[in-house]
Amino acid sequence: MTRPIRHKLSATAKQAHNGFLYSLKSLFTINPIPRPLSLIALCSFCMALPLLLGVLSDNLEAGLTACIGALLGLYSPSFTPGYRARALLKMIIPFGASFTLGLITARYLPASAFFLGLVALIAIYLALYKKMRPPAGFFFIMVCCLSKTHHVPTDHIPVIASAFFAGSLMVTIAVWLHDRIMVKDKPKQVTDPAQPLWQPAAFVKALVAGITVGGSYYLASLGGIDNPYWVPITVAAILQGQRMTEFWQRSLHRATGTALGMLLAAGIFALSPSPLVLILLLFVLAFTIEMLITKNYALACIFITPLTVILAHTAPIGYSAQTLIIARMTDVLIGVAFALLAGVILKLLPVENR
């Protein structure tokens, strides 16, 4: 082994050790970051409303799909007040395309994994290029993963895709109305200097992340995991970190929060909640996640887990708590391993990371 490689491995190991210690401390740290309360409450309501409409119209699948489309609204707090709806409007088509592409290829594993990796590559690259704040490209990858839970005939795909688009459009209109009413003095929007579209460092990170996301889904599916989409969702969440310390932090937060979240999810479904209770839970969970996501990621993951289980309708009423916890924690730990491997590879590559 050559000296430069040994030096890089040693530096990576030291950084990983320091990152792990920092991550343990960060589990108990609450960041004092203010959140727009009225906007978060509105977006949370828009996530729960489609499920209510689905229950009333006896079309639960379309209602849940529109709830997934309304996840687009979770990006709105990161945009400048008064310009949020415009930003969301630009994202509707690529957001819907991510879901629809996953839906179309869901039956064919090689194509499904390839296009999931492609969605991850594009979403992460553009998020780096635009310098987007979290959740950055994560929800684009997440909705592509969740689309694979819809086992629908080919001729029914346009209906499901339309329901998804309707959820995204609804929350965009709601955000526009919110800003029209609540934002009295529209601030001047600051535009960053034009950057060249080709960013080699960003592309390398996006490429490694895309290969890891798509490859983890492919291998998890081949391995016979019941709901393999949990693995790439975990990978995508962790790979939002820019440095090895952030990889460790997100890994530890994700694993800890998911473990506690699975206890919460198991308790919820053990009580056999009615559809109306699930609607209320969607609102409460979405609101709590948005309030906590920038304050403490582990706490947010406690509520992200049952929300994802509800949206993916993968836990039947009365589902065994032990089975749910063991299955999902196994998926998450596999995802953590893939993400950390990608982090080490990025650290060793001779391209400056962002």
Side-chain angles (χ1 to χ4, degrees):
M1 187 180 297
T2 62
R3 182 173 295 179
I5 294 178
R6 283 202 306 269
H7 177 72
K8 278 194 173 185
L9 286 173
S10 176
T12 301
K14 184 177 180 180
Q15 191 176 8
H17 176 262
N18 293 336
F20 181 71
L21 294 178
Y22 174 79
S23 301
L24 282 175
K25 182 181 177 181
S26 69
L27 277 175
F28 307 98
T29 302
I30 304 296
N31 299 313
I33 300 175
R35 304 292 284 159
L37 188 62
S38 60
L39 180 65
I40 289 174
L42 177 64
C43 291
S44 302
F45 175 77
C46 288
M47 275 198 63
L49 181 60
L51 183 56
L52 175 61
L53 297 177
V55 170
L56 295 176
S57 62
D58 198 26
N59 195 340
L60 198 59
E61 186 172 35
L64 277 170
T65 303
C67 290
I68 299 173
L71 284 170
L72 181 68
L74 298 183
Y75 282 99
S76 57
S78 63
F79 295 125
T80 305
Y83 301 91
R84 294 170 176 139
R86 182 190 301 178
L88 293 182
L89 198 59
K90 293 177 181 178
M91 297 169 70
I92 281 183
I93 291 178
F95 198 61
S98 300
F99 179 84
T100 306
L101 197 57
L103 200 62
I104 292 171
T105 60
R107 293 176 178 271
Y108 313 101
L109 179 57
S112 186
F114 173 80
F115 282 105
L116 174 59
L118 183 63
V119 166
L121 188 157
I122 295 172
I124 291 173
Y125 180 79
L126 291 179
L128 289 170
Y129 173 73
K130 293 287 188 180
K131 299 179 181 178
M132 290 177 65
R133 288 176 288 176
F138 173 69
F139 283 118
F140 286 81
I141 302 167
M142 181 177 172
V143 299
C144 188
C145 291
L146 290 179
S147 69
K148 301 178 190 310
T149 65
H150 292 268
H151 305 291
V152 297
T154 304
D155 59 353
H156 196 54
I157 288 177
V159 176
I160 297 299
S162 297
F164 181 91
F165 178 79
S168 297
L169 184 61
M170 177 193 66
V171 75
T172 300
I173 294 172
V175 169
W176 177 77
L177 289 172
H178 171 275
D179 281 7
R180 292 281 291 182
I181 296 170
M182 301 298 294
V183 179
K184 303 300 182 184
D185 298 315
K186 191 174 181 180
K188 185 177 181 180
Q189 191 173 27
V190 179
T191 56
D192 295 325
Q195 298 282 340
L197 182 60
W198 172 245
Q199 302 282 345
F203 180 77
V204 169
K205 175 172 182 180
L207 180 62
V208 172
I211 291 172
T212 308
V213 168
S216 66
Y217 175 73
Y218 183 77
L219 293 175
S221 299
L222 286 182
I225 293 178
D226 289 338
N227 297 297
Y229 63 86
W230 279 93
V231 176
I233 286 177
T234 300
V235 172
I238 294 170
L239 288 181
Q240 287 189 87
Q242 304 297 307
R243 299 181 296 273
M244 184 58 78
T245 51
E246 293 174 341
F247 286 138
W248 272 112
Q249 181 177 336
R250 284 192 165 270
S251 299
L252 186 61
H253 281 221
R254 185 77 181 181
T256 305
T258 299
L260 296 174
M262 281 304 165
L263 289 173
L264 178 60
I268 289 172
F269 284 95
L271 295 174
S272 302
S274 66
L276 290 178
V277 172
L278 287 178
I279 292 166
L280 180 61
L281 279 171
L282 267 181
F283 172 80
V284 172
L285 290 171
F287 180 82
T288 308
I289 290 165
E290 269 299 293
M291 290 300 294
L292 293 175
I293 194 71
T294 59
K295 297 178 182 294
N296 186 294
Y297 185 61
L299 286 177
C301 281
I302 296 174
F303 302 95
I304 288 172
T305 302
L307 177 72
T308 306
V309 171
I310 292 172
L311 292 178
H313 46 81
T314 54
I317 300 301
Y319 201 62
S320 164
Q322 183 178 3
T323 302
L324 180 64
I325 293 168
I326 292 174
R328 295 295 75 79
M329 278 308 300
T330 301
D331 301 343
V332 168
L333 291 175
I334 293 171
V336 167
F338 273 109
L340 289 177
L341 176 61
V344 172
I345 291 172
L346 283 168
K347 182 66 179 176
L348 295 176
L349 289 176
V351 179
E352 181 185 358
N353 289 312
R354 292 187 177 193

